[in-house]
Amino acid sequence: MRPRIGPYTLYAIEAGRFRLDGGSMFGVVPKVLWERRIAADRRNRIQLEARCLLLEGEGRLILIDTGMGHKESAWFADAFALDFTDGDLEHSLKVAGFAPGDVTDVILTHLHFDHAGGGTRRAGGRVVPTFVNATYHLQEGQWETAMAPNVREAASFLPHNFVPLREAGQLSLLHGAQSLFPGVDVIVVHGHTRSQQLVKVTGPEGTLLYAADLFPLTHHIRAPWVMAYDVQPMLTLAEKDHVLREACAKGYHLFFEHDASAMVANVAGGERGFEATNIRSLDELF
């Protein structure tokens, strides 16, 4: 039996694997420490997942993030070690019993290529939305950032991942934290990139927080473990502390988008700060 929260049946949708530089993923934490937890390849890259979350209920099929997609060059695929051996976004949806046309809503946490790439696809000489019947929900501040990116982030925003959504009239721009659907709320944080939105699913069973790039891996629960990709690392520290205190106090379950060895975990506080506990798959949630 699939896990449920409130009216929603939950599905983990694996959209492929990729690799990023380990030093960039852990910022000021030296390799001698982080390599004890996660191995790097000969190019210093660590294994990551592109793991999306699908919610079925209330007459909707809601997809959170879309992975990398298949539009990029051979150089890109090699640089980031794209691996679809165990399936991609469309295949994982099919395994769950759905087709792209069934998706009614896509919540994009932000527009970096590893989160938004699968939202569009090539159709002949054009790039078009993957989910033709869906409304794509994004924070307006993130849209503005992607359309006029700062130097640090420019390489992470690929216009063909998001401009076609606006051209097709399928983009809905949000303004701050809010309730999108019954039991589905978005929380806005700014340390990683301006107006990233986390997704909180709440029901009688508890709360599942899609942690996106505030906590890409369980390792990032530790305070100093902040990505070099974050545009405001000190703000990330404050946002992490706020979310972790709430998650610990209220028993939230965190869903990890990029952790290849952990899908869901709880949070506990200790003498050395917060740590991940009760690591398990989504199917073991309740």
Side-chain angles (χ1 to χ4, degrees), residues 177 185-192 196-201 207-217 220-223 234-256 265-269 273-275:
D185 301 325
V186 293
I187 301 167
V188 182
V189 291
H190 303 280
H192 176 60
Q196 176 185 199
Q197 55 186 1
L198 314 183
V199 184
K200 186 170 69 170
V201 186
T207 295
L208 182 68
L209 179 68
Y210 190 89
D213 273 353
L214 184 62
F215 303 104
L217 310 176
H220 291 100
I221 287 175
R222 290 184 174 270
M234 295 305 294
L235 181 54
T236 293
L237 280 171
E239 290 170 341
K240 283 171 58 173
D241 183 71
H242 174 78
V243 171
L244 288 172
R245 288 181 186 278
E246 184 171 311
C248 190
K250 298 183 178 181
Y252 290 176
H253 311 283
L254 270 59
F255 184 97
F256 296 93
N266 295 104
V267 179
F274 296 100
E275 59 183 16

Side-chain angles (χ1 to χ4, degrees), residues 1-5 8-11 282-286:
M1 186 173 179
R2 298 219 55 82
R4 293 178 61 88
I5 293 182
Y8 301 104
T9 303
L10 311 179
Y11 303 82
L282 184 65
D283 290 342
E284 300 169 308
L285 185 58
F286 301 115

